[in-house]
């Protein structure tokens, strides 16, 4: 700020408060709706303050689920989401670390070819090749399996680039020192490279966890077995329930639970989150 | 590009890139190749036989009014989401960059929606605007707007635009804020000494210096609006009413999984690939330029 303008100060705060209101109000309403019974959801306007059915609603969905959407307990779907998100995250990090290590620290035929193959995957998001990918999954017999849910998503161009970028900034002297001490490549990877990459791994872990948790299209086409439903995808079955009217208080309770883990991760690790977000997009 | 000092092991590097390459080949290249190939065939209803038809699938698509309409919906949706998100995020970032008191609290409150899945953002806005009980539609009714996205296609499109922008503002906000903070304070001070007011400084100094960030976000937002919003639309309006919110990706899904028209869905995939490749190309040309700044 280069000059003192009281009017501009007020305007600044007004803009920010409006922005915060716009971003927070929808979730506020979801929270409020999740604490009311069905009768409050039957007539407009719906209440703006919490009701007393919260505990009952959350207990109902966590154990029983929403009846007309198959009655899959939300607790079960949350667990599935967690497993899928963690599987994708750890898979992506492991696979990308190894690939970036190979591309930066070794000289071998087709090195650049491999690099470009990884790069091109950026241009092929699953949304643009839905049906053929489904077809491949059918041929491999991977529908309705955990590996089908996780493995196809663990290739990651962005994570590979991030680690490659970071490895390039590590001084060459470390490799020389390691070689003088007769450490092999894998020893160097475990004892020097991995410890140095800790912050970067943590930062990208957050971004990838959010990515994995929020997957929608992939579980939608790969699973029709209720034991594998994830929560983000399960909600759409509650909203578009066909004949019966959506039970909004339970849907909102499920939405609140479904957004809780990734939002908590962002809030709790804000610094790492910002670092991860800004660096993966370079 | 590569280290001066490297290890000389013959097979190890192949083992290291192996997993990544294997997944890429099986789940990226193979399906993409299949899309390219089956776009040239028409399959019978039972998937038993197929006939080579050349470019007929593409020709049919270009003569299909519904498909062309979904092009229009996609572009309108993409441009509206991009513009809305960037305008709001830039306003918020400029304000947050200026404020001294409670800066961290504001930032925290503005970035968390990034973590909300697009599908959930859609469902929550769907609830807020619900014609019979949503609070927002109730307020709209009070000022004389009759809101019903179940019937009115324009309103349904507006609904998904708002929900998609709502989710994306946080991301843009963070990048604009980072861009603003990297602008040297001395430039702003020099302009202030020359008696340029805040608006003048914004449009003649700050906004031009933000061009790299703006351009980057432009591409990212378009890609987001084109592809990542499938879940948002699928979980709420499902492309309706009367295809008013049917974007290109929704159309690929519907043609493939609901309509079971393999050839046409593959042809649409190929068109989408061309769009992504064009966008990525534009993005990287620009990144090359930024290096020379």
């Amino acid at each position: 700020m280069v000059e003192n303008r009281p009017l501009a100060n007020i305007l600044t705060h007004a803009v920010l408060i409006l922005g915060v209101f716009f971003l927070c109000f929808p979730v506020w309403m979801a929270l409020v709706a999740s604490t009311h019974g069905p009768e409050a959801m039957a007539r407009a306007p719906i209440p703006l303050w919490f009701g007393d059915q919260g505990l009952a609603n959350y207990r109902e969905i966590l154990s029983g689920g929403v009846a007309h959407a198959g009655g899959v307990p939300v607790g079960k779907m949350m667990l599935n989401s967690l497993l899928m998100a963690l599987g994708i995250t750890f898979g992506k990090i492991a696979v990308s670390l190894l690939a970036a290590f190979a591309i930066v620290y070794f000289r071998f035929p087709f090195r650049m070819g491999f690099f470009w193959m990884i790069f091109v995957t950026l241009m092929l998001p699953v949304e643009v090749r839905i049906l053929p990918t489904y077809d491949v999954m059918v041929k491999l017999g991977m529908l309705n399996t955990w590996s089908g849910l996780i493995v196809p998503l663990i290739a990651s161009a962005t994570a590979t680039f991030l680690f490659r970028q970071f490895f390039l900034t590590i001084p060459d002297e470390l490799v020389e020192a390691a070689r003088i001490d007769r450490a092999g490549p894998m020893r160097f990877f475990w004892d020097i490279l991995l410890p140095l990459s800790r912050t970067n791994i943590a930062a990208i872990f957050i971004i990838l966890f959010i990515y994995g948790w929020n997957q929608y299209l992939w579980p939608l086409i790969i699973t029709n077995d209720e034991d594998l439903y994830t929560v983000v995808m399960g909600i759409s079955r509650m909203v578009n329930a066909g004949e019966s009217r959506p039970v909004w208080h339970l849907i909102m309770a499920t939405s609140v639970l479904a957004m809780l883990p990734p939002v908590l991760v962002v809030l709790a690790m804000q610094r790492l989150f910002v670092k991860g977000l800004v660096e993966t997009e370079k | 590009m590569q280290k001066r000092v490297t290890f000389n092991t013959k097979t190890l590097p192949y083992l290291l890139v192996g997993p990544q390459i294997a997944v890429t080949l099986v789940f990226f290249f193979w399906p993409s190749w299949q899309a390219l190939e089956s776009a040239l065939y028409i399959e019978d209803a039972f998937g038993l036989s197929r006939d080579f038809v050349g470019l007929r699938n593409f020709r049919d698509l270009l003569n299909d009014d519904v498909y062309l309409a979904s092009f229009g919906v996609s572009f309108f949706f993409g441009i509206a989401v991009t513009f809305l998100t960037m305008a709001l995020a830039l306003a918020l970032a400029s304000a947050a960059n200026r404020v001294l008191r409670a800066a961290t609290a504001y930032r925290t409150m503005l970035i968390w929606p990034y973590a909300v899945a697009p599908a959930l953002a859609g469902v929550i806005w769907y609830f807020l605007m619900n014609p019979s009980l949503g609070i927002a539609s109730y307020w709209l009714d009070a000022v004389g707007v009759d809101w019903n996205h179940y019937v009115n296609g324009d309103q349904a499109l507006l609904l998904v635009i708002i929900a998609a922008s709502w989710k994306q503002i946080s991301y843009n906000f963070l990048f604009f804020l980072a861009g603003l903070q990297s602008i040297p304070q001395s430039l702003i001070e020099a302009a202030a000494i020359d008696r340029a007011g805040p608006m003048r400084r914004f449009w003649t100094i700050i906004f031009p210096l933000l061009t790299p960030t703006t351009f980057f976000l432009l591409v990212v937002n378009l890609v987001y609006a084109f592809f990542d919003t499938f879940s948002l639309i699928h979980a709420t309006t499902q492309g309706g009413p009367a295809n008013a919110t049917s974007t290109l990706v929704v159309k690929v899904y519907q043609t493939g999984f609901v309509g079971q028209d393999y050839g046409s869905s593959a042809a649409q995939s190929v068109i989408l690939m061309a769009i992504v490749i064009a966008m990525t190309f534009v993005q990287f040309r620009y990144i090359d330029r930024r290096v020379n700044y």
Side-chain angles (χ1 to χ4, degrees):
Chain A
M1 214 168 19
V2 289
E3 71 238 285
N4 190 21
R5 288 175 183 252
L7 194 69
N9 288 342
I10 295 170
L11 193 71
T12 307
H13 282 279
V15 167
L16 286 171
I17 289 167
L18 271 176
V20 168
F21 175 79
F22 177 65
L23 291 183
C24 293
F25 180 72
V27 173
W28 168 262
M29 284 310 293
L31 264 174
V32 167
S34 72
T35 61
H36 284 279
E39 56 289 341
M41 297 293 121
R43 54 183 149 54
I46 55 167
L48 289 166
W49 192 253
F50 298 102
D52 53 2
Q53 296 297 306
L55 224 57
N57 286 345
Y58 283 100
R59 197 173 298 142
E60 184 180 344
I61 54 165
L62 276 173
S63 54
V66 177
H68 66 69
V72 189
V74 174
K76 169 81 181 147
M77 292 200 280
M78 298 271 291
L79 185 68
N80 286 345
S81 282
L82 183 71
L83 287 175
M84 178 181 72
L86 288 179
I88 292 173
T89 309
F90 282 112
K92 268 184 189 273
I93 289 178
V95 160
S96 311
L97 268 173
L98 293 178
F101 176 53
I103 283 171
V104 173
Y105 282 99
F106 293 86
R107 196 167 296 160
F108 56 101
F110 306 118
R111 193 175 64 92
M112 285 315 284
F114 288 137
F115 182 76
W116 282 107
M117 273 171 72
I118 297 168
F119 175 80
V120 169
T121 59
L122 274 183
M123 302 181 193
L124 303 168
V126 67
E127 283 83 1
V128 311
R129 48 184 173 84
I130 303 173
L131 201 55
T133 314
Y134 175 80
D135 221 40
V136 165
M137 300 302 285
V138 174
K139 281 181 189 149
L140 296 175
M142 288 173 88
L143 294 185
N144 286 318
T145 60
W146 278 107
S147 52
L149 211 46
I150 292 171
V151 175
L153 297 181
I154 66 172
S156 171
T158 42
T160 310
F161 288 154
L162 176 83
F163 289 129
R164 172 181 161 269
Q165 216 66 20
F166 173 67
F167 291 166
L168 287 174
T169 66
I170 292 179
D172 280 355
E173 285 74 12
L174 288 177
V175 191
E176 283 166 351
R179 286 182 61 171
I180 288 170
D181 289 344
R182 310 202 55 182
M186 285 325 281
R187 185 77 192 267
F188 171 75
F189 180 74
W190 281 113
D191 288 349
I192 298 174
L193 218 46
L194 267 191
L196 284 174
S197 318
R198 235 175 349 207
T199 336
N200 283 285
I201 293 176
I204 201 162
F205 184 94
I206 296 173
I207 304 298
L208 294 179
F209 178 79
I210 297 171
Y211 165 87
W213 181 277
N214 289 347
Q215 279 303 313
Y216 181 90
L217 177 60
W218 191 247
L220 180 76
I221 59 176
I222 290 307
T223 61
N224 51 29
D225 177 353
E226 285 174 356
D227 284 341
L228 287 172
Y229 276 169
T230 60
V231 67
V232 174
M233 172 272 247
I235 283 181
S236 83
R237 298 203 329 145
M238 304 179 190
V239 179
N240 294 301
E243 294 301 300
S244 47
R245 291 166 60 92
V247 275
W248 285 110
H249 60 296
L250 297 182
I251 296 175
M252 285 302 118
T254 313
S255 305
V256 169
L257 286 178
M259 72 174 74
L260 207 56
V263 168
L264 283 183
V265 166
V266 165
L267 292 181
M269 290 177 264
Q270 218 185 108
R271 279 182 99 107
L272 275 176
F273 160 69
V274 173
K275 178 180 159 68
L277 195 64
V278 174
E279 291 195 350
T280 43
E281 291 296 352
K282 262 182 201 159
Chain B
M1 190 64 232
Q2 205 194 6
K3 294 281 180 185
R4 193 164 39 81
V5 191
T6 51
F7 294 102
N8 342 306
T9 326
K10 283 279 175 290
T11 47
L12 187 62
Y14 295 100
L15 293 177
L16 292 173
V17 288
Q20 174 97 300
I21 295 297
V23 173
T24 307
L25 278 178
V26 175
F27 299 107
F28 286 80
F29 285 95
W30 186 13
S32 305
W33 170 251
Q34 288 224 323
L36 284 177
E37 199 208 354
S38 45
L40 303 176
Y41 288 85
I42 285 183
E43 208 166 278
D44 71 33
F46 306 101
L48 296 176
S49 67
R50 57 182 201 170
D51 296 318
F52 182 79
V53 291
L55 295 176
R56 206 182 107 189
N57 282 321
F58 292 95
R59 213 163 42 233
D60 287 352
L61 280 176
L62 295 179
N63 289 323
D64 180 0
D65 288 339
V66 180
Y67 186 68
L68 292 178
S70 77
F71 243 102
V73 170
S74 263
F75 278 95
F76 182 76
F77 178 75
I79 289 165
V81 168
T82 305
F83 180 77
L84 201 62
T85 325
M86 290 178 77
L88 291 175
L90 184 55
L92 288 171
S94 306
N97 192 37
R98 199 174 175 282
V99 75
L100 298 173
R101 193 171 299 175
T104 345
Y106 279 129
R107 202 182 72 159
T108 308
M109 306 262 266
L110 291 171
I111 63 171
W112 63 267
Y114 172 83
V116 178
L120 294 180
V123 169
I124 290 173
W125 276 97
Y126 204 53
F127 168 65
L128 279 183
M129 306 289 258
N130 188 296
S132 56
L133 58 87
I135 191 80
S137 62
Y138 177 76
W139 289 339
L140 282 174
D141 199 44
V143 294
V145 181
D146 182 22
W147 183 275
N148 190 344
H149 54 242
Y150 290 107
V151 189
N152 187 324
D154 292 340
Q155 291 181 353
L157 187 56
L158 189 60
L159 172 78
V160 288
I161 288 173
I162 293 174
S165 310
W166 178 84
K167 189 235 131 68
Q168 190 69 352
I169 284 177
S170 306
Y171 183 88
N172 284 253
F173 167 78
L174 272 174
F175 276 87
F176 272 134
L177 189 60
L180 286 170
Q181 284 169 346
S182 68
I183 293 175
Q185 197 61 24
S186 53
L187 290 178
I188 315 284
E189 281 162 8
I193 290 169
D194 290 343
R195 305 202 56 191
M199 286 318 274
R200 180 94 192 263
R201 292 201 300 266
F202 179 81
W203 289 113
T204 56
I205 299 174
I206 298 175
F207 193 69
L209 283 173
L210 277 179
T211 319
T213 313
T214 311
F215 198 87
F216 161 76
L217 287 173
L218 196 72
V219 178
V220 169
N221 290 333
L222 279 176
V223 171
Y224 162 80
F226 268 48
F227 303 108
D228 296 346
T229 51
F230 168 81
S231 57
L232 196 160
I233 295 171
H234 184 264
T236 56
T237 62
Q238 301 206 305
N243 291 323
T245 52
S246 168
T247 59
L248 290 170
V249 176
V250 173
K251 193 82 173 61
V252 176
Y253 177 83
Q254 280 171 347
T255 313
F257 282 92
V258 185
Q260 305 269 327
D261 186 346
Y262 204 108
S264 175
S265 178
Q268 293 180 28
S269 286
V270 172
I271 294 176
L272 277 177
M273 276 185 221
I275 295 176
V276 192
I277 289 171
M279 281 180 170
T280 321
F281 183 71
V282 169
Q283 187 179 0
F284 276 83
R285 263 198 64 142
Y286 136 77
I287 281 181
D288 279 349
R289 270 223 314 275
R290 188 174 60 168
V291 174
N292 299 327
Y293 249 74

